[in-house]
Amino acid sequence: LPPGVERSERIWHNSELLHRLRAADTAERGPRRFVVVGAGQSAAETTDHLHRRYPDSEVRSVFSRYGYSPADDTSFANRIFDPDAVDHFYEAPGEVKQMLMDYHANTNYSVVDPELINALYSRAYQEKVAGTQRLHVHGATRVSAMRDAGADIEIDLEFLPTGERETVRTDVVVYATGYRPIDPTSLLGDIGGWCRRADDGELLVERDYRITTTAPLRAGVYLQGPTEHTHGISSTLLSTTAVRAGEILDSIEAHRPAGLAAVQRVPAAPVGS
């Protein structure tokens, strides 16, 4: 959630959307006015779901971009998810890593499937022509203030190009504003202090996904996911999970002390079993 925003019975993060809606549906008067804040796939899906689930609802989508941006899933750009691209990214200098992340963030972050963009646009256009508009898309807009107005939440929306403001009332605000990454060493207790970090505070991670550690820690600590800063944008996606798991297993075997039994590989099950 953005700074200063706290969850409540009427202010949600989209990660809790479905169970919040189930609870709200059992109330005597369920919500019928929604404001969705965010510009990515989750925000667009939330907007679409609320609009379809409640045929008499008013749904407002608010984001600071002028419009939803499409995800880049073209063939050449998708090469950033190839296993070979992990090697390229890992060996690249810091400024090149940042350049690649900036260039290709639109393959995954704050972007929406084009089909969903077109569906939402068509729906809003048809409603406007018919004079029964329930779906409102507020592009280049931010929430400048929010107040509890008793039965409603009162929200001030600021149109960024002109500074013009309008106030809307809603039953629920859903923030589809993504997730903050956690520090994985928080799971390790005191052992986390033996994991080395770069000058910028990021963990030092070897190519085999093993954290660089200091004495007295001798056990291997491997990361499966939070390595975007060292291994690239595919780290948090499913694209290279199988390859990554195999590389981690190979590393565990390579580091096992002499005399310790080898890791037992489980054979793949036959297709259809």
Side-chain angles (χ1 to χ4, degrees), residues 155-194:
I155 299 180
D156 295 336
L157 301 179
E158 180 185 355
F159 184 56
L160 297 173
T162 64
E164 181 182 356
R165 298 187 182 217
E166 68 171 305
T167 300
V168 300
R169 289 176 174 265
T170 187
D171 299 312
V172 168
V173 183
V174 183
Y175 279 91
T177 45
Y179 299 84
R180 293 189 183 97
I182 65 167
D183 183 347
T185 61
S186 63
L187 303 172
L188 300 177
D190 293 341
I191 294 174
W194 299 330

Side-chain angles (χ1 to χ4, degrees), residues 15-252:
S15 59
E16 55 190 327
L17 178 70
L18 295 183
H19 79 259
R20 287 280 198 176
L21 291 178
R22 284 193 292 269
D25 286 345
T26 63
E28 184 176 343
R29 179 188 177 276
R32 289 299 181 269
R33 296 169 299 171
F34 301 90
V35 171
V36 181
V37 182
Q41 182 72 19
S42 295
E45 288 183 2
T46 297
T47 300
D48 175 63
H49 179 76
L50 292 171
H51 187 267
R52 288 186 292 105
R53 179 168 177 152
Y54 301 107
D56 59 343
S57 66
E58 176 187 81
V59 183
R60 296 179 181 272
S61 179
V62 179
F63 46 81
S64 56
R65 298 184 179 209
Y66 205 85
Y68 292 115
S69 297
D72 185 356
D73 62 352
T74 54
S75 301
F76 287 111
N78 271 345
R79 293 172 64 183
I80 197 72
F81 300 110
D82 289 349
D84 286 349
V86 177
D87 290 322
H88 302 156
F89 191 92
Y90 189 84
E91 297 297 335
E95 63 272 17
V96 175
K97 283 184 170 72
Q98 188 60 55
M99 180 191 73
L100 291 173
M101 289 296 297
D102 291 343
Y103 280 154
H104 296 292
N106 67 342
T107 59
N108 185 51
Y109 293 117
S110 298
V111 287
V112 182
D113 290 338
E115 296 80 7
L116 181 54
I117 295 175
N118 291 335
L120 289 172
Y121 182 86
S122 296
R123 211 174 307 166
Y125 180 80
Q126 290 166 6
E127 289 180 353
K128 187 174 183 179
V129 170
T132 57
Q133 192 164 7
R134 297 192 299 111
L135 176 59
H136 303 265
V137 179
H138 300 267
T141 300
R142 70 180 180 95
V143 175
S144 60
M146 188 163 53
R147 298 172 294 278
D148 189 329
D152 306 318
I153 298 177
E154 206 170 65
I155 299 180
D156 295 336
L157 301 179
E158 180 185 355
F159 184 56
L160 297 173
T162 64
E164 181 182 356
R165 298 187 182 217
E166 68 171 305
T167 300
V168 300
R169 289 176 174 265
T170 187
D171 299 312
V172 168
V173 183
V174 183
Y175 279 91
T177 45
Y179 299 84
R180 293 189 183 97
I182 65 167
D183 183 347
T185 61
S186 63
L187 303 172
L188 300 177
D190 293 341
I191 294 174
W194 299 330
C195 297
R196 294 188 58 201
R197 296 178 182 271
D199 292 339
D200 60 2
E202 294 280 12
L203 286 168
L204 294 175
V205 186
E206 304 297 330
R207 175 59 185 85
D208 58 2
Y209 301 96
R210 180 177 171 128
I211 298 177
T212 304
T213 58
T214 60
L217 182 61
R218 292 184 298 163
V221 180
Y222 293 85
L223 295 180
Q224 177 66 292
T227 56
E228 192 174 76
H229 63 294
T230 52
H231 291 68
I233 198 168
S234 66
S235 296
T236 59
L237 305 178
L238 298 176
S239 308
T240 59
T241 300
V243 175
R244 185 161 62 236
E247 291 176 349
I248 291 174
L249 180 57
D250 289 340
S251 177
I252 292 172

